[in-house]
Amino acid sequence: MKHALSVTRQQNFAAWYQEVISEADLAEESGVRGCMVIRPWGYGIWERIQKLMDAEIKKAGVENCYFPLFIPLSFFEKEADHVDGFAKEMAVVTHHRLVKGPKGGLIPDPESKLEEPLVVRPTSETVIGAAMSRWVQSWRDLPLLVNQWANVVRWEMRTRMFLRTSEFLWQEGHTAHADRADAMTETMRALEMYRAFAEGPLAMPVVAGEKPEHERFPGAVATYSIEAMMQDGKALQAGTSHYLGTGFAEASGIKYQDKEGAQQFAHTTSWGVSTRLIGGVIMTHGDDDGLRCPPEIAPWQVVIVPMLRDDDGDAAVLDYCRNLRLELLAQRAFGEPLRVLLDTKAAKASNKRWSWVKKGAPVIVEVGPRDVADGKAAVLRRDRLYKDDGKLATAFTPRDEFVAAAAAMLQDIQANLYAEAKARLDSNIARDVIDLAAHFKGDDAKFAGWVEVQWARPTGDGLTKIVEQLKALKLTMRNAPINAAPVDGVCFFTGAPAVERILIGRTY
RNA sequence: CGGGGAGUGGCGCAGCCUGGUAGCGCAUCUGGUUUGGGACCAGAGGGUCGCAAGUUCGAAUCUUGUCUCCCCGACCA
């Protein structure tokens, strides 16, 4: 069967992923290492994510604000673990002016060297901590709940579009609380918000759980994540929420006077999701014809493609399409009016159709002169593109019938995408594995999914040994699912009594 | 950052070994023929071959440097 892409997922998943990004006009290279240009269709998806996520954040009483891109180097030196975690991948600003160099061109002016270098934020705990120390004086100032939508920079050694780029877009929530219990409640609230968001608007099933000790955010007391399973069986960390204890509060001086008049350090949290989510959506829902964009985050949910012939009949077709669009705009799905595009671009209808197939528009509607005469529309669902015979499953539907059914169709597509991915996740977590090496076979191309084992959660050398053992098989621990079944056995690695269940898999 | 591969019209590639200033397919444009569906025929436009030095009468081709991308590794909230 002929597909819109030249590489299938089966043939080469990595090459397929890149082809989806380029063929769906999501993003392209920028000429700067690890940085990408996010094109309108890709950015439109991000805007949908922002809009829906922002509403959830605000619903939780968290307020938006904005902190500077540049952070004084000294801020980073305050929290030791934080330094260790990020020092290796920091972009540093050392000069503020350019002058003509001896060989022509421009060089940083040696005279303009900064007294104290500035780092480009890799995350904002330190600057926000400094502000919080000013804002928090009394127990009455807590909890303090802020969030920012921003770009951050981490000088990554190896980059992949959306999944790991040197610069990326994200939201980072930062909160300060009077005590551990309150901060933990917030940490878990954010985690649940991410789970619901991934499984709702993104139709991407995830497992929420706690990261093992060695996978924690630098400086965190506890790190939680949502992990999604990609179509090649690898895990993608799609969101994180951290309980930071009082470490950052101590480093930044976030103190408050409690009801008894004593000075106390606040307990802080931070949590974020990034443009990586788009990579997750691609690898969760994409097929050999490109992206399949979940309707809730699709910039356009219905795209109308008029079949114009450059003759007198065109006016009637366009007129029919405009009216169809207006009727669709009056419909609502997911609590919002439908987003409908009439694609009047001067291109061949068939090319436009395939372009929207590759971009993953959930519903593509073609309208030709005969449809106008018959009062119909040729409807194509992106989640069910082909009939059994390999031909496009275009449904010639009476126009009124389609308009009335459009919203339900979108919700059905959303549900279908989720159900498909959910079935894949559920059926590919093995819980009876005895030999990891045999299960994963060492072959990247083989879909092996994840393995859940019970373990004793050793620390120190005991943990290091296990991590190395897994590393030899190219495996990592993902998280300990918060809703896992209770333990009833011994540690997979050590034979000691188990204390929790943990997921193991290959990862991005 | 280490090892390997690659950069030639919008996209995918050939040419490079054996230097003589570029070619193919798709896409694009024009004309014609088609018209329920990823059309056909004919013609045309578009690239100083990632960038910079060097060797040479002459460099896409040889040498060196550099940037970017891909794969493996190390690293990675």
Side-chain angles (χ1 to χ4, degrees):
Chain A
M1 189 159 70
K2 190 178 175 185
H3 285 287
L5 302 183
S6 67
V7 185
T8 65
R9 291 161 291 176
Q10 191 64 41
Q11 288 163 348
N12 185 337
F13 197 77
W16 167 84
Y17 175 74
Q18 282 157 214
E19 196 180 356
V20 173
I21 288 171
S22 108
E23 289 295 312
D25 294 341
L26 293 166
E28 63 188 18
E29 280 153 26
S30 65
V32 179
R33 184 184 171 79
C35 296
M36 61 179 176
V37 174
I38 305 178
R39 302 184 63 183
W41 186 247
Y43 197 74
I45 293 171
W46 179 241
E47 286 183 308
R48 288 293 306 162
I49 290 172
Q50 279 187 303
K51 181 184 158 85
L52 298 172
M53 179 71 79
D54 197 58
E56 294 304 312
I57 290 169
K58 285 179 174 140
K59 219 179 273 177
V62 181
E63 295 179 299
N64 280 334
C65 54
Y66 186 78
F67 286 85
L69 173 67
F70 299 127
I71 301 177
L73 191 55
S74 57
F75 279 32
F76 264 88
E77 294 163 344
K78 290 179 185 170
E79 217 289 339
D81 292 332
H82 203 55
V83 175
D84 289 347
F86 285 107
K88 298 182 294 297
E89 50 184 48
M90 213 86 98
V92 187
V93 179
T94 54
H95 294 75
H96 66 80
R97 189 165 60 212
L98 296 170
V99 290
K100 286 210 178 82
K103 296 181 207 157
L106 294 167
I107 59 165
D109 184 354
E111 301 291 306
S112 72
K113 192 153 190 246
L114 297 179
E115 190 84 358
E116 178 181 356
L118 298 169
V119 301
V120 180
R121 66 178 162 226
T123 179
S124 301
E125 274 75 8
T126 56
V127 261
I128 294 184
M132 284 179 163
S133 73
R134 280 177 264 126
W135 298 345
V136 175
Q137 303 293 329
S138 143
W139 64 273
R140 296 175 202 276
D141 296 325
L142 297 172
L144 178 57
L145 312 169
V146 297
N147 175 69
Q148 78 169 344
W149 289 91
N151 57 338
V152 288
V153 169
R154 296 176 188 181
W155 216 261
E156 300 289 351
M157 289 292 110
R158 191 173 170 185
T159 60
R160 308 180 92 144
M161 284 210 176
F162 291 112
L163 301 177
R164 176 169 287 109
T165 46
S166 294
E167 178 189 19
F168 57 91
L169 307 181
W170 78 344
Q171 68 52 225
E172 46 178 327
H174 296 270
T175 69
H177 306 263
D179 55 37
R180 179 195 162 90
D182 206 39
M184 274 306 297
T185 300
E186 175 62 14
T187 303
M188 301 314 282
R189 182 204 64 76
L191 183 71
E192 167 56 18
M193 174 176 74
Y194 290 154
R195 184 207 61 75
F197 185 81
E199 301 196 334
L202 304 183
M204 181 170 77
V206 294
V207 175
E210 181 176 2
K211 284 286 194 186
E213 176 184 297
H214 63 287
E215 297 270 349
R216 274 180 204 144
F217 175 72
V221 172
T223 286
Y224 297 83
S225 72
I226 52 170
E227 304 280 334
M229 185 183 286
M230 304 295 99
Q231 287 184 64
D232 60 352
K234 288 190 188 171
L236 182 74
Q237 180 174 300
T240 50
S241 183
H242 317 287
Y243 166 61
L244 303 174
T246 57
F248 282 88
E250 286 166 36
S252 301
I254 310 172
K255 288 178 292 191
Y256 69 94
Q257 204 167 18
D258 66 19
K259 292 177 187 175
E260 281 73 46
Q263 286 288 317
Q264 302 282 357
F265 283 113
H267 293 245
T268 61
T269 80
S270 68
W271 29 273
V273 293
S274 71
T275 36
R276 175 183 273 188
L277 287 177
I278 296 172
V281 166
I282 296 168
M283 291 192 290
T284 299
H285 302 303
D287 65 14
D288 295 337
D289 293 293
L291 178 62
R292 294 189 299 172
C293 195
E296 250 191 295
I297 55 160
W300 299 118
Q301 296 168 312
V302 180
V303 175
I304 304 171
V305 177
M307 312 203 56
L308 305 175
R309 290 178 182 167
D310 239 1
D311 62 23
D312 295 344
D314 287 0
V317 171
L318 279 172
D319 205 44
Y320 184 92
C321 288
R322 285 192 200 101
N323 285 325
L324 176 59
R325 174 169 174 273
L326 290 177
E327 287 168 36
L328 288 166
L329 286 178
Q331 307 298 311
R332 297 173 72 85
F334 311 103
E336 295 176 90
L338 298 200
R339 295 182 293 282
V340 185
L341 174 73
L342 171 55
D343 184 358
T344 55
K345 186 161 181 270
K348 277 194 295 189
S350 57
N351 287 346
K352 289 199 279 189
R353 174 180 65 230
W354 286 104
S355 149
W356 287 111
V357 165
K358 288 187 282 190
K359 287 182 174 182
V363 176
I364 299 164
V365 184
E366 294 173 270
V367 174
R370 197 181 299 176
D371 300 309
V372 175
D374 297 349
K376 290 190 173 176
V379 180
L380 191 56
R381 284 176 60 143
R382 184 60 183 86
D383 64 331
R384 297 174 183 167
L385 255 196
Y386 298 102
K387 293 183 288 192
D388 291 342
D389 61 6
K391 291 190 176 149
L392 285 176
T394 308
F396 295 91
T397 315
R399 168 193 174 147
D400 294 346
E401 197 178 299
F402 168 62
V403 170
M409 184 181 287
L410 290 170
Q411 309 204 110
D412 190 47
I413 292 170
Q414 183 87 22
N416 274 355
L417 291 178
Y418 176 78
E420 200 181 299
K422 177 70 170 162
R424 183 167 53 237
L425 174 66
D426 287 347
S427 61
N428 286 294
I429 299 178
R431 295 187 168 82
D432 54 0
V433 171
I434 296 163
D435 182 349
L436 285 176
H439 183 79
F440 287 97
K441 286 276 199 338
D443 180 0
D444 274 337
K446 179 174 166 281
F447 185 105
W450 304 344
V451 168
E452 187 186 84
V453 299
Q454 304 191 34
W455 76 321
R457 208 165 59 197
T459 57
D461 288 348
L463 176 61
T464 305
K465 225 166 127 186
I466 294 168
V467 170
E468 276 167 11
Q469 199 179 314
L470 291 173
K471 197 164 154 187
L473 297 169
K474 295 202 256 187
L475 298 171
T476 58
M477 293 182 208
R478 303 321 305 151
N479 67 22
I482 53 179
N483 60 356
V487 290
D488 59 4
V490 296
C491 178
F492 182 84
F493 307 102
T494 65
V499 301
E500 69 182 6
R501 292 170 190 269
I502 190 151
L503 291 170
I504 291 166
R506 299 221 160 102
T507 185
Y508 275 98

